[in-house]
Amino acid sequence: MRLNEALTLKGAMTAVLTKADGTVETRYKDNIIVNAGFDFIADAIGKVSSRPGCMNHIAVGTGTTAAAATQTALVEEMTGGRLAATYAHTAGTKVFTLTANFNAGVATGAITEVGAFNAATGGTMFDRLTFAVINKGALDTLAVTLTFTMS
């Protein structure tokens, strides 16, 4: 008897922009896991020495080049546009999240791309997506949640 099990990993972004006047804009879009992200998974599971650091940062940028599996960085990461992310997972579920809050005065501008990384600068990019512009003003806040679902 042959057992056939497949593992899939799907990523999605939810971005909530809260304007200074209190209005809220929410965006949702699927992302892609890039090749380096799949290498990261393999190394995290099987590499005995020098395992990669945790995915613990979210970066935003202004690049509009379509997401592609071969990319290893955002196209135009914003200065100050990478923050430490909060990891969450409930045991027994197949979902985990990374969340970062870009407060007033941080990552101000026309945001069009997001990615998860395992370092405060450089590092390995796990996923990337582009989307219609989110115009974040100096007094606005942007909460970005990257949700990963395994099946």
Side-chain angles (χ1 to χ4, degrees):
M1 175 189 234
R2 186 170 172 215
L3 188 62
N4 184 14
E5 287 193 40
L7 172 68
T8 61
L9 179 62
K10 179 182 182 233
M13 174 203 73
T14 303
V16 179
L17 177 69
T18 304
K19 297 260 187 196
D21 66 5
T23 58
V24 175
E25 176 185 335
T26 301
R27 292 282 177 84
Y28 175 87
K29 187 168 182 194
D30 291 342
N31 61 21
I32 67 166
I33 309 301
V34 296
N35 292 343
F38 286 113
D39 290 342
F40 170 87
I41 293 168
D43 288 347
I45 291 171
K47 203 169 192 179
V48 174
S49 62
S50 67
R51 285 189 171 147
C54 295
M55 285 294 152
N56 55 7
H57 285 79
I58 293 177
V60 296
T62 59
T64 57
T65 302
T70 57
Q71 293 167 331
T72 58
L74 294 184
V75 173
E76 292 291 332
E77 186 171 333
M78 298 173 85
T79 301
R82 190 181 296 203
L83 296 179
T86 300
Y87 166 82
H89 168 71
T90 300
T93 69
K94 296 178 182 178
V95 176
F96 64 96
T97 60
L98 295 172
T99 303
N101 295 308
F102 295 85
N103 293 323
V106 177
T108 299
I111 299 170
T112 54
E113 63 179 335
V114 168
F117 292 83
N118 71 343
T121 58
T124 299
M125 183 169 73
F126 188 71
D127 69 321
R128 181 171 180 265
L129 71 147
T130 59
F131 43 85
V133 67
I134 295 173
N135 289 305
K136 183 181 177 298
L139 300 177
D140 301 342
T141 61
L142 179 66
V144 176
T145 301
L146 299 175
T147 302
F148 300 95
T149 304
M150 299 171 280
S151 61

